[in-house]
Coordinates of all heavy atoms in Angstrom, one line a residue:
A1449 N -23.0 143.5 -70.9 CA -22.3 143.9 -69.7 C -21.6 142.5 -69.3 O -22.2 141.5 -69.4 CB -23.2 144.3 -68.6
L1450 N -20.4 142.6 -68.7 CA -19.7 141.4 -68.3 C -20.1 141.0 -66.9 O -20.2 139.9 -66.5 CB -18.1 141.7 -68.3 CG -17.5 141.8 -69.5 CD1 -16.1 142.1 -69.3 CD2 -17.7 140.5 -70.3
A1451 N -20.5 142.0 -66.0 CA -20.8 141.9 -64.6 C -21.8 143.0 -64.4 O -22.1 143.9 -65.2 CB -19.6 141.8 -63.7
E1452 N -22.3 142.8 -63.1 CA -23.2 144.0 -62.7 C -22.6 145.4 -62.7 O -23.2 146.3 -63.0 CB -23.7 143.7 -61.2 CG -24.6 144.6 -60.6 CD -25.2 144.2 -59.3 OE1 -25.7 143.1 -59.1 OE2 -24.8 145.0 -58.3
D1453 N -21.3 145.4 -62.5 CA -20.6 146.7 -62.5 C -19.5 146.9 -63.5 O -18.7 147.8 -63.4 CB -19.9 146.8 -61.1 CG -18.9 145.8 -60.8 OD1 -18.8 144.9 -61.5 OD2 -18.2 146.0 -59.8
V1454 N -19.7 146.2 -64.6 CA -18.7 146.2 -65.8 C -19.4 146.3 -67.1 O -20.3 145.4 -67.3 CB -17.7 145.1 -65.7 CG1 -16.7 145.2 -66.9 CG2 -16.9 145.0 -64.4
I1455 N -19.0 147.4 -67.9 CA -19.5 147.4 -69.3 C -18.4 147.2 -70.1 O -17.4 147.8 -70.0 CB -20.1 148.7 -69.5 CG1 -21.3 149.1 -68.6 CG2 -20.5 148.9 -71.1 CD1 -21.9 150.4 -68.6
Q1456 N -18.6 146.4 -71.1 CA -17.4 146.0 -72.1 C -17.9 146.6 -73.5 O -19.1 146.3 -74.0 CB -17.3 144.5 -72.2 CG -16.1 144.2 -73.2 CD -15.8 142.8 -73.3 OE1 -16.6 141.9 -73.8 NE2 -14.6 142.3 -72.7
V1457 N -17.0 147.3 -74.1 CA -17.2 147.8 -75.4 C -16.2 147.2 -76.3 O -15.1 147.1 -76.0 CB -17.1 149.4 -75.4 CG1 -17.3 150.0 -76.8 CG2 -18.1 149.9 -74.4
T1458 N -16.7 146.7 -77.5 CA -15.7 146.2 -78.5 C -15.7 147.2 -79.7 O -16.7 147.4 -80.3 CB -16.3 144.8 -78.9 OG1 -16.3 143.9 -77.8 CG2 -15.2 144.1 -79.9
L1459 N -14.5 147.6 -80.1 CA -14.3 148.6 -81.2 C -13.2 148.2 -82.0 O -12.2 147.4 -81.5 CB -14.1 150.0 -80.6 CG -15.2 150.5 -79.6 CD1 -14.6 151.7 -78.9 CD2 -16.4 150.9 -80.4
Q1460 N -13.0 148.7 -83.2 CA -11.8 148.6 -84.0 C -11.6 149.8 -84.7 O -12.5 150.6 -85.1 CB -12.0 147.3 -84.9 CG -13.0 147.3 -85.9 CD -13.1 146.1 -86.8 OE1 -12.8 146.2 -88.0 NE2 -13.2 144.9 -86.3
L1461 N -10.4 150.1 -85.2 CA -10.0 151.2 -86.0 C -9.4 150.6 -87.3 O -9.0 149.5 -87.4 CB -8.8 151.9 -85.2 CG -9.1 152.6 -83.9 CD1 -8.0 153.3 -83.4 CD2 -10.3 153.6 -84.0
N1462 N -9.5 151.5 -88.3 CA -9.0 151.2 -89.6 C -7.5 151.5 -89.7 O -6.9 151.3 -90.8 CB -9.8 151.7 -90.7 CG -9.8 153.2 -90.8 OD1 -9.2 153.9 -89.9 ND2 -10.4 153.8 -91.7
E1463 N -6.9 152.1 -88.7 CA -5.5 152.3 -88.7 C -4.9 152.5 -87.2 O -5.9 152.5 -86.4 CB -5.2 153.7 -89.3 CG -5.8 154.9 -88.7 CD -5.8 156.2 -89.3 OE1 -5.0 156.2 -90.4 OE2 -6.2 157.1 -88.9
P1464 N -3.7 152.3 -87.0 CA -3.2 152.3 -85.6 C -3.6 153.7 -85.0 O -3.6 154.6 -85.6 CB -1.7 152.2 -85.8 CG -1.5 151.5 -87.1 CD -2.7 152.0 -88.0
G1465 N -3.8 153.5 -83.7 CA -4.2 154.8 -82.9 C -4.6 154.5 -81.5 O -4.2 153.3 -81.0
T1466 N -5.3 155.2 -80.9 CA -5.7 155.1 -79.5 C -7.3 155.2 -79.4 O -7.9 156.1 -80.0 CB -5.1 156.1 -78.7 OG1 -3.7 156.0 -78.7 CG2 -5.5 155.8 -77.1
I1467 N -7.9 154.3 -78.8 CA -9.3 154.3 -78.5 C -9.6 154.7 -77.0 O -9.0 154.2 -76.1 CB -10.0 152.9 -78.8 CG1 -9.8 152.4 -80.1 CG2 -11.5 153.0 -78.3 CD1 -10.3 151.0 -80.4
W1468 N -10.3 155.8 -76.8 CA -10.7 156.3 -75.4 C -12.1 156.1 -75.2 O -13.0 156.4 -76.2 CB -10.4 157.8 -75.4 CG -8.9 158.1 -75.4 CD1 -8.3 158.5 -76.6 CD2 -7.8 158.2 -74.4 NE1 -6.9 158.7 -76.3 CE2 -6.7 158.5 -75.0 CE3 -8.1 157.8 -73.1 CZ2 -5.6 158.7 -74.3 CZ3 -6.8 158.0 -72.3 CH2 -5.6 158.4 -72.9
C1469 N -12.5 155.6 -74.1 CA -14.0 155.4 -73.8 C -14.3 156.0 -72.5 O -13.4 156.0 -71.5 CB -14.4 153.9 -73.8 SG -14.4 153.2 -75.4
Q1470 N -15.5 156.4 -72.2 CA -15.9 156.9 -70.9 C -17.4 156.7 -70.8 O -18.2 156.6 -71.6 CB -15.6 158.5 -70.9 CG -15.7 159.0 -69.5 CD -14.7 158.4 -68.5 OE1 -15.3 157.6 -67.7 NE2 -13.5 158.6 -68.5
I1471 N -17.8 156.5 -69.5 CA -19.2 156.3 -69.2 C -19.8 157.7 -68.9 O -19.2 158.5 -68.2 CB -19.3 155.4 -68.0 CG1 -18.7 154.0 -68.2 CG2 -20.8 155.3 -67.5 CD1 -18.5 153.2 -67.0
S1472 N -21.0 157.9 -69.5 CA -21.7 159.2 -69.1 C -23.0 158.8 -68.5 O -23.6 157.8 -68.7 CB -21.9 160.0 -70.3 OG -23.0 159.5 -71.2
D1473 N -23.5 159.8 -67.7 CA -24.9 159.6 -67.2 C -25.9 159.8 -68.2 O -25.7 160.5 -69.2 CB -25.0 160.7 -66.1 CG -26.2 160.3 -65.1 OD1 -27.0 159.6 -65.3 OD2 -26.2 161.0 -63.9
Q1474 N -27.1 159.2 -68.2 CA -28.1 159.3 -69.2 C -29.1 160.4 -68.9 O -30.2 160.4 -69.3 CB -28.9 158.0 -69.2 CG -28.1 156.7 -69.7 CD -29.1 155.6 -69.8 OE1 -30.1 155.5 -69.2 NE2 -28.6 154.6 -70.4
D1475 N -28.7 161.5 -68.4 CA -29.5 162.8 -68.1 C -30.6 162.4 -67.2 O -31.6 163.2 -67.0 CB -30.1 163.3 -69.4 CG -29.1 163.8 -70.4 OD1 -28.0 164.3 -69.8 OD2 -29.3 163.7 -71.6
A1476 N -30.5 161.3 -66.3 CA -31.5 161.0 -65.4 C -31.1 161.2 -63.9 O -31.9 161.0 -62.9 CB -32.0 159.7 -65.7
S1477 N -29.9 161.6 -63.7 CA -29.3 161.6 -62.4 C -29.7 162.8 -61.7 O -29.6 163.9 -62.3 CB -27.8 161.6 -62.4 OG -27.2 161.7 -61.1
A1478 N -30.1 162.8 -60.4 CA -30.4 164.0 -59.7 C -29.2 164.6 -58.9 O -29.2 165.6 -58.4 CB -31.4 163.7 -58.6
T1479 N -28.0 163.9 -58.9 CA -26.9 164.4 -58.2 C -26.2 165.5 -58.9 O -25.6 166.4 -58.1 CB -25.9 163.1 -57.9 OG1 -25.4 162.7 -59.2 CG2 -26.5 162.0 -57.2
G1480 N -26.1 165.4 -60.1 CA -25.4 166.6 -60.8 C -23.8 166.5 -60.7 O -23.2 167.5 -60.9
T1481 N -23.2 165.4 -60.2 CA -21.8 165.3 -60.0 C -21.1 164.5 -61.1 O -19.9 164.3 -61.1 CB -21.5 164.7 -58.6 OG1 -21.9 163.5 -58.6 CG2 -21.9 165.7 -57.6
F1482 N -21.9 164.1 -62.2 CA -21.3 163.3 -63.2 C -21.6 164.1 -64.5 O -22.6 164.7 -64.6 CB -21.9 161.9 -63.3 CG -21.8 161.1 -62.1 CD1 -22.8 160.9 -61.1 CD2 -20.5 160.6 -61.6 CE1 -22.7 160.2 -60.0 CE2 -20.4 159.8 -60.5 CZ -21.4 159.6 -59.8
C1483 N -20.8 163.8 -65.5 CA -21.1 164.4 -66.8 C -22.2 163.7 -67.5 O -22.1 162.5 -67.7 CB -19.9 164.4 -67.7 SG -18.5 165.5 -67.3
E1484 N -23.3 164.3 -67.6 CA -24.4 163.8 -68.4 C -24.1 163.9 -69.8 O -23.3 164.8 -70.2 CB -25.8 164.4 -68.0 CG -26.1 164.3 -66.6 CD -27.4 164.9 -66.2 OE1 -27.9 165.6 -67.0 OE2 -27.9 164.8 -65.1
Y1485 N -24.7 163.0 -70.6 CA -24.6 163.1 -72.1 C -24.7 164.5 -72.6 O -23.8 164.9 -73.4 CB -25.6 162.1 -72.9 CG -25.5 162.1 -74.3 CD1 -24.5 161.5 -74.9 CD2 -26.5 162.8 -74.9 CE1 -24.4 161.5 -76.3 CE2 -26.4 162.8 -76.4 CZ -25.3 162.1 -77.0 OH -25.3 162.2 -78.4
S1486 N -25.7 165.2 -72.2 CA -26.0 166.6 -72.7 C -25.0 167.6 -72.1 O -24.9 168.7 -72.7 CB -27.3 167.0 -72.4 OG -27.6 167.1 -71.0
D1487 N -24.2 167.3 -71.1 CA -23.1 168.2 -70.6 C -21.8 168.2 -71.3 O -21.1 169.1 -71.2 CB -22.8 167.8 -69.0 CG -24.0 168.2 -68.2 OD1 -24.8 169.0 -68.5 OD2 -24.2 167.3 -67.2
V1488 N -21.5 167.1 -72.1 CA -20.3 167.0 -72.8 C -20.2 167.9 -73.9 O -21.1 168.1 -74.7 CB -20.0 165.5 -73.3 CG1 -18.8 165.4 -74.0 CG2 -20.1 164.5 -72.1
K1489 N -19.1 168.8 -74.0 CA -19.0 169.9 -74.8 C -17.6 170.0 -75.6 O -16.7 169.3 -75.1 CB -19.2 171.2 -74.2 CG -20.1 171.4 -73.1 CD -20.1 172.7 -72.6 CE -21.3 173.0 -71.6 NZ -21.7 171.9 -70.7
D1490 N -17.5 170.7 -76.7 CA -16.3 170.8 -77.4 C -15.5 172.1 -77.0 O -14.4 172.3 -77.3 CB -16.3 170.7 -78.8 CG -17.3 171.7 -79.5 OD1 -17.9 172.5 -78.8 OD2 -17.5 171.5 -80.6
S1491 N -16.2 172.9 -76.2 CA -15.5 174.1 -75.5 C -16.4 174.6 -74.4 O -17.6 174.3 -74.4 CB -15.4 175.3 -76.6 OG -16.6 175.7 -77.0
P1492 N -16.0 175.4 -73.4 CA -14.5 175.7 -73.3 C -13.8 174.6 -72.6 O -14.2 173.8 -72.0 CB -14.6 176.9 -72.3 CG -15.8 176.6 -71.5 CD -16.8 175.9 -72.4
T1493 N -12.4 174.6 -72.8 CA -11.5 173.6 -72.4 C -11.5 173.5 -70.9 O -11.2 172.5 -70.3 CB -10.1 173.8 -72.9 OG1 -9.6 175.1 -72.6 CG2 -10.0 173.6 -74.5
S1494 N -11.9 174.6 -70.1 CA -11.9 174.6 -68.7 C -13.0 173.8 -68.1 O -13.1 173.6 -66.9 CB -11.8 176.1 -68.2 OG -12.9 176.7 -68.6
D1495 N -14.1 173.6 -68.9 CA -15.3 172.9 -68.4 C -15.0 171.5 -68.0 O -14.2 170.7 -68.8 CB -16.4 172.9 -69.5 CG -17.7 172.5 -69.0 OD1 -17.8 171.3 -68.6 OD2 -18.7 173.3 -69.0
P1496 N -15.4 171.0 -66.8 CA -15.1 169.7 -66.4 C -15.7 168.6 -67.4 O -15.2 167.4 -67.3 CB -15.6 169.6 -64.9 CG -16.6 170.6 -64.9 CD -16.1 171.7 -65.9
C1497 N -16.6 168.9 -68.1 CA -17.2 168.0 -69.1 C -16.7 168.2 -70.6 O -17.4 167.8 -71.5 CB -18.7 168.1 -69.0 SG -19.3 167.4 -67.4
Y1498 N -15.6 169.0 -70.8 CA -15.0 169.2 -72.0 C -14.6 167.9 -72.6 O -14.0 166.9 -71.9 CB -13.7 170.1 -71.9 CG -12.8 170.3 -73.1 CD1 -13.4 170.8 -74.2 CD2 -11.6 169.7 -73.1 CE1 -12.7 170.9 -75.4 CE2 -10.8 169.8 -74.3 CZ -11.3 170.4 -75.4 OH -10.6 170.6 -76.5
F1499 N -14.9 167.6 -73.8 CA -15.0 166.2 -74.4 C -13.5 165.5 -74.2 O -13.5 164.5 -73.7 CB -15.3 166.3 -75.9 CG -15.3 164.9 -76.5 CD1 -16.3 164.0 -76.3 CD2 -14.2 164.6 -77.3 CE1 -16.2 162.7 -76.8 CE2 -14.1 163.4 -77.9 CZ -15.0 162.4 -77.7
E1500 N -12.5 166.3 -74.7 CA -11.1 165.6 -74.7 C -10.7 165.2 -73.3 O -10.2 164.2 -73.1 CB -10.1 166.6 -75.4 CG -8.8 165.8 -75.6 CD -7.9 166.5 -76.5 OE1 -8.3 167.5 -77.1 OE2 -6.7 166.2 -76.3
T1501 N -10.9 166.2 -72.4 CA -10.4 165.9 -71.0 C -11.3 164.8 -70.3 O -10.7 163.9 -69.8 CB -10.5 167.2 -70.1 OG1 -9.8 168.3 -70.8 CG2 -10.0 166.9 -68.8
W1502 N -12.5 164.9 -70.5 CA -13.5 164.1 -69.9 C -13.4 162.6 -70.5 O -13.3 161.5 -69.8 CB -15.0 164.5 -70.2 CG -16.0 163.5 -69.7 CD1 -16.4 163.2 -68.5 CD2 -16.7 162.6 -70.5 NE1 -17.4 162.2 -68.4 CE2 -17.6 161.9 -69.7 CE3 -16.8 162.5 -71.9 CZ2 -18.5 161.0 -70.3 CZ3 -17.7 161.6 -72.4 CH2 -18.5 160.8 -71.6
I1503 N -13.2 162.4 -71.7 CA -13.2 161.0 -72.5 C -12.0 160.3 -72.0 O -11.8 159.1 -71.9 CB -13.2 161.2 -74.0 CG1 -13.5 159.8 -74.6 CG2 -12.0 161.7 -74.6 CD1 -15.0 159.4 -74.6
K1504 N -10.8 161.1 -71.7 CA -9.6 160.5 -71.3 C -9.6 160.0 -69.8 O -8.7 159.3 -69.4 CB -8.3 161.4 -71.6 CG -8.1 161.6 -73.0 CD -6.9 162.4 -73.4 CE -6.7 162.4 -74.8 NZ -5.6 163.3 -75.1
G1505 N -10.5 160.5 -68.9 CA -10.6 160.1 -67.6 C -9.4 160.4 -66.7 O -8.6 161.2 -67.1
V1506 N -9.3 159.8 -65.7 CA -8.3 160.1 -64.6 C -7.6 158.8 -64.3 O -8.3 157.9 -63.8 CB -8.9 160.8 -63.4 CG1 -7.7 161.1 -62.3 CG2 -9.5 162.2 -63.8
A1507 N -6.3 158.7 -64.4 CA -5.6 157.5 -64.1 C -5.3 157.6 -62.6 O -4.7 158.6 -62.1 CB -4.2 157.4 -64.9
R1508 N -5.7 156.6 -61.9 CA -5.4 156.6 -60.4 C -4.8 155.2 -60.2 O -5.1 154.2 -60.8 CB -6.6 156.8 -59.6 CG -7.3 158.1 -59.8 CD -8.6 158.2 -59.0 NE -9.4 159.4 -59.2 CZ -10.3 159.6 -60.0 NH1 -10.7 158.6 -60.8 NH2 -10.9 160.8 -60.1
A1509 N -3.9 155.1 -59.1 CA -3.4 154.0 -58.7 C -4.4 153.1 -57.9 O -5.3 153.6 -57.2 CB -2.1 154.2 -57.8
G1510 N -4.4 151.8 -58.2 CA -5.3 150.9 -57.5 C -6.7 151.1 -58.1 O -6.9 151.4 -59.3
T1511 N -7.8 150.9 -57.3 CA -9.1 151.2 -57.7 C -9.6 152.7 -57.9 O -9.0 153.5 -57.3 CB -10.1 150.5 -56.8 OG1 -10.0 151.1 -55.6 CG2 -9.9 149.0 -56.7
G1512 N -10.5 152.9 -58.8 CA -11.0 154.2 -58.9 C -10.5 154.9 -60.2 O -11.0 156.1 -60.5
S1513 N -9.7 154.3 -61.0 CA -9.2 154.8 -62.3 C -10.4 154.9 -63.3 O -11.2 154.0 -63.4 CB -8.0 154.0 -62.9 OG -7.7 154.6 -64.2
T1514 N -10.6 155.9 -63.9 CA -11.5 156.1 -65.0 C -10.9 156.3 -66.4 O -11.5 156.9 -67.2 CB -12.4 157.3 -64.7 OG1 -11.8 158.5 -64.6 CG2 -13.3 157.1 -63.5
E1515 N -9.6 155.8 -66.4 CA -9.0 155.9 -67.8 C -9.1 154.5 -68.5 O -8.6 153.5 -68.1 CB -7.5 156.1 -67.5 CG -6.7 156.2 -68.8 CD -5.2 156.4 -68.6 OE1 -4.5 155.6 -68.1 OE2 -4.7 157.6 -69.0
F1516 N -10.0 154.6 -69.5 CA -10.4 153.4 -70.3 C -9.9 153.6 -71.7 O -10.5 154.4 -72.5 CB -11.9 153.2 -70.1 CG -12.4 153.2 -68.8 CD1 -13.3 154.1 -68.3 CD2 -12.1 152.1 -68.0 CE1 -13.8 154.0 -67.0 CE2 -12.6 152.1 -66.7 CZ -13.4 153.1 -66.1
R1517 N -8.8 152.9 -72.1 CA -8.2 153.0 -73.4 C -7.7 151.8 -73.9 O -7.4 150.9 -73.1 CB -7.2 154.1 -73.3 CG -6.0 153.8 -72.4 CD -4.9 154.8 -72.4 NE -4.0 154.7 -73.5 CZ -3.0 155.5 -73.8 NH1 -2.7 156.4 -72.9 NH2 -2.1 155.2 -74.7
A1518 N -7.5 151.8 -75.2 CA -6.8 150.7 -75.9 C -5.8 151.3 -76.9 O -6.3 152.1 -77.7 CB -7.7 149.7 -76.5
D1519 N -4.6 150.8 -76.8 CA -3.6 151.2 -77.9 C -3.8 150.2 -79.1 O -3.4 149.1 -78.7 CB -2.2 151.3 -77.3 CG -2.1 152.4 -76.2 OD1 -2.6 153.6 -76.5 OD2 -1.5 152.1 -75.2
V1520 N -4.2 150.7 -80.1 CA -4.4 149.9 -81.4 C -3.1 149.9 -82.2 O -2.7 150.9 -82.7 CB -5.6 150.4 -82.1 CG1 -5.8 149.6 -83.4 CG2 -6.8 150.4 -81.2
H1521 N -2.6 148.7 -82.3 CA -1.4 148.5 -83.2 C -1.7 147.8 -84.4 O -1.0 148.0 -85.5 CB -0.3 147.8 -82.4 CG 0.1 148.4 -81.2 ND1 0.9 149.6 -81.0 CD2 -0.2 148.1 -79.8 CE1 1.0 150.0 -79.8 NE2 0.4 149.2 -79.1
I1522 N -2.8 147.1 -84.4 CA -3.1 146.3 -85.6 C -4.6 146.7 -86.1 O -5.6 146.6 -85.4 CB -3.2 144.8 -85.2 CG1 -1.9 144.3 -84.9 CG2 -3.6 143.9 -86.6 CD1 -1.8 142.9 -84.2
P1523 N -4.7 147.2 -87.3 CA -6.0 147.9 -87.9 C -6.9 146.6 -88.0 O -6.5 145.5 -88.3 CB -5.6 148.5 -89.1 CG -4.3 148.1 -89.5 CD -3.6 147.5 -88.3
Y1524 N -8.2 146.9 -88.0 CA -9.4 145.9 -88.4 C -9.3 144.7 -87.4 O -9.7 143.6 -87.7 CB -9.2 145.5 -89.7 CG -9.4 146.6 -90.7 CD1 -8.3 147.1 -91.4 CD2 -10.6 147.3 -90.9 CE1 -8.4 148.2 -92.3 CE2 -10.7 148.3 -91.6 CZ -9.6 148.8 -92.5 OH -9.7 149.8 -93.4
Q1525 N -8.8 145.0 -86.1 CA -8.9 143.9 -85.1 C -9.7 144.4 -83.9 O -9.7 145.6 -83.6 CB -7.4 143.6 -84.7 CG -7.4 142.5 -83.5 CD -6.0 142.2 -83.2 OE1 -5.1 142.0 -84.0 NE2 -5.7 142.1 -81.9
D1526 N -10.5 143.5 -83.3 CA -11.4 143.9 -82.3 C -10.6 144.1 -80.9 O -9.7 143.4 -80.7 CB -12.4 142.8 -82.0 CG -13.6 142.6 -83.0 OD1 -13.6 143.7 -83.9 OD2 -14.3 141.7 -83.0
Y1527 N -10.9 145.3 -80.3 CA -10.2 145.6 -79.0 C -11.4 145.8 -78.0 O -12.4 146.5 -78.3 CB -9.4 146.8 -79.2 CG -8.2 146.6 -79.9 CD1 -8.2 146.7 -81.3 CD2 -7.0 146.5 -79.2 CE1 -7.0 146.5 -81.9 CE2 -5.8 146.2 -79.9 CZ -5.8 146.2 -81.3 OH -4.6 146.1 -82.1
D1528 N -11.3 145.2 -76.9 CA -12.2 145.3 -75.8 C -11.8 146.1 -74.7 O -10.6 146.1 -74.3 CB -12.5 143.8 -75.2 CG -13.1 142.8 -76.1 OD1 -13.9 143.3 -77.0 OD2 -12.9 141.6 -75.9
I1529 N -12.7 147.0 -74.3 CA -12.4 147.9 -73.2 C -13.5 147.7 -72.1 O -14.7 147.8 -72.4 CB -12.5 149.4 -73.7 CG1 -11.4 149.7 -74.8 CG2 -12.3 150.4 -72.5 CD1 -11.5 151.1 -75.4
D1530 N -13.0 147.4 -71.0 CA -13.9 147.1 -69.8 C -14.0 148.3 -68.9 O -12.9 148.9 -68.5 CB -13.5 145.9 -69.0 CG -13.3 144.7 -69.8 OD1 -14.2 144.6 -70.7 OD2 -12.6 143.7 -69.4
M1531 N -15.2 148.9 -68.8 CA -15.4 150.2 -68.0 C -16.1 149.8 -66.7 O -17.1 149.1 -66.8 CB -16.1 151.2 -68.8 CG -15.4 151.6 -70.1 SD -16.2 152.7 -71.1 CE -17.4 151.6 -71.9
N1532 N -15.6 150.2 -65.6 CA -16.3 149.9 -64.2 C -16.4 151.1 -63.2 O -16.8 150.9 -62.1 CB -15.5 148.7 -63.5 CG -14.1 149.2 -63.2 OD1 -13.6 150.3 -63.6 ND2 -13.4 148.4 -62.5
M1533 N -16.2 152.2 -63.8 CA -16.2 153.5 -62.9 C -16.8 154.6 -63.8 O -16.6 154.8 -64.9 CB -14.9 153.9 -62.3 CG -14.3 152.9 -61.3 SD -15.1 152.8 -59.8 CE -14.6 154.3 -59.0
I1534 N -17.6 155.5 -63.1 CA -18.0 156.7 -63.7 C -17.3 157.9 -63.0 O -17.2 157.9 -61.8 CB -19.5 156.9 -63.7 CG1 -20.0 158.1 -64.6 CG2 -20.0 156.9 -62.4 CD1 -21.4 158.2 -64.8
E1535 N -16.7 158.8 -63.8 CA -16.0 159.9 -63.3 C -16.8 160.9 -62.5 O -17.8 161.4 -63.1 CB -15.1 160.6 -64.3 CG -14.3 161.7 -63.9 CD -13.1 161.3 -63.0 OE1 -12.6 160.1 -63.1 OE2 -12.9 161.9 -61.9
N1536 N -16.5 161.2 -61.3 CA -17.2 162.2 -60.5 C -16.4 163.5 -60.8 O -15.2 163.6 -60.6 CB -17.1 161.8 -59.0 CG -17.9 162.7 -58.2 OD1 -18.7 163.4 -58.6 ND2 -17.8 162.5 -56.8
V1537 N -17.2 164.5 -61.2 CA -16.5 165.8 -61.6 C -17.1 166.9 -60.8 O -18.2 166.7 -60.2 CB -16.8 166.1 -63.1 CG1 -16.2 165.0 -64.0 CG2 -18.2 166.4 -63.6
V1538 N -16.4 168.1 -60.9 CA -17.1 169.3 -60.2 C -18.3 169.5 -61.2 O -18.3 169.3 -62.4 CB -16.0 170.3 -60.3 CG1 -16.6 171.7 -59.8 CG2 -14.8 169.9 -59.6
S1539 N -19.2 170.1 -60.6 CA -20.5 170.5 -61.2 C -20.3 171.1 -62.7 O -19.3 172.0 -62.7 CB -21.5 171.3 -60.5 OG -21.9 170.6 -59.3
P1540 N -20.8 170.7 -63.7 CA -20.5 171.4 -65.0 C -20.9 172.8 -64.9 O -21.8 173.2 -64.1 CB -21.5 170.6 -66.0 CG -21.8 169.3 -65.2 CD -21.7 169.6 -63.8
A1541 N -20.4 173.7 -65.8 CA -20.6 175.1 -65.9 C -22.2 175.3 -65.9 O -22.8 174.7 -66.7 CB -19.9 175.6 -67.0
G1542 N -22.6 176.3 -65.2 CA -24.0 176.5 -65.1 C -24.9 175.7 -64.3 O -26.2 176.0 -64.1
V1543 N -24.3 174.7 -63.6 CA -25.1 173.8 -62.8 C -24.6 174.1 -61.3 O -23.5 174.1 -61.0 CB -24.9 172.4 -63.0 CG1 -25.7 171.5 -62.1 CG2 -25.3 172.1 -64.5
S1544 N -25.5 174.3 -60.4 CA -25.1 174.6 -59.1 C -25.5 173.5 -58.2 O -26.3 172.7 -58.4 CB -25.7 175.9 -58.5 OG -27.1 175.9 -58.7

């Protein structure tokens, strides 16, 4: 971690592309408003914890953006992604 409220992930790709990252709850939260690790799914696409939608986050102006990505143009080079927010979602399907 870079700071108390920032997690840095270092990744690399073997070809140009886009790296997307997202923070998930560790299944220990009592609030139920965040996607926990076990809530992330590959279907249905309407689920707020659907993998592709969730991993891309939400771009917001100013603070509060949960879009954490790196556009990779050079393969085999380290790219750092700093994450400082966890996306607040509507309760996952089946959770009230």
Side-chain angles (χ1 to χ4, degrees):
L1450 291 177
E1452 184 177 297
D1453 60 348
V1454 178
I1455 298 171
Q1456 183 179 67
V1457 178
T1458 302
L1459 301 165
Q1460 62 177 242
L1461 297 178
N1462 63 354
E1463 62 184 357
T1466 304
I1467 299 171
W1468 297 92
C1469 290
Q1470 194 56 258
I1471 299 171
S1472 73
D1473 198 346
Q1474 293 183 340
D1475 294 332
S1477 174
T1479 63
T1481 59
F1482 303 106
C1483 290
E1484 295 179 352
Y1485 176 75
S1486 61
D1487 293 330
V1488 178
K1489 329 177 160 41
D1490 59 1
S1491 67
T1493 59
S1494 60
D1495 192 292
C1497 294
Y1498 171 63
F1499 179 77
E1500 185 176 345
T1501 306
W1502 172 77
I1503 196 82
K1504 290 182 178 180
V1506 177
R1508 297 181 182 93
T1511 61
S1513 177
T1514 58
E1515 183 181 64
F1516 306 113
R1517 65 181 273 177
D1519 294 316
V1520 175
H1521 302 287
I1522 302 169
Y1524 302 104
Q1525 178 174 318
D1526 288 347
Y1527 287 82
D1528 294 330
I1529 299 176
D1530 299 337
M1531 298 176 284
N1532 64 351
M1533 296 288 285
I1534 186 168
E1535 183 61 38
N1536 190 10
V1537 299
V1538 176
S1539 295
V1543 176
S1544 52

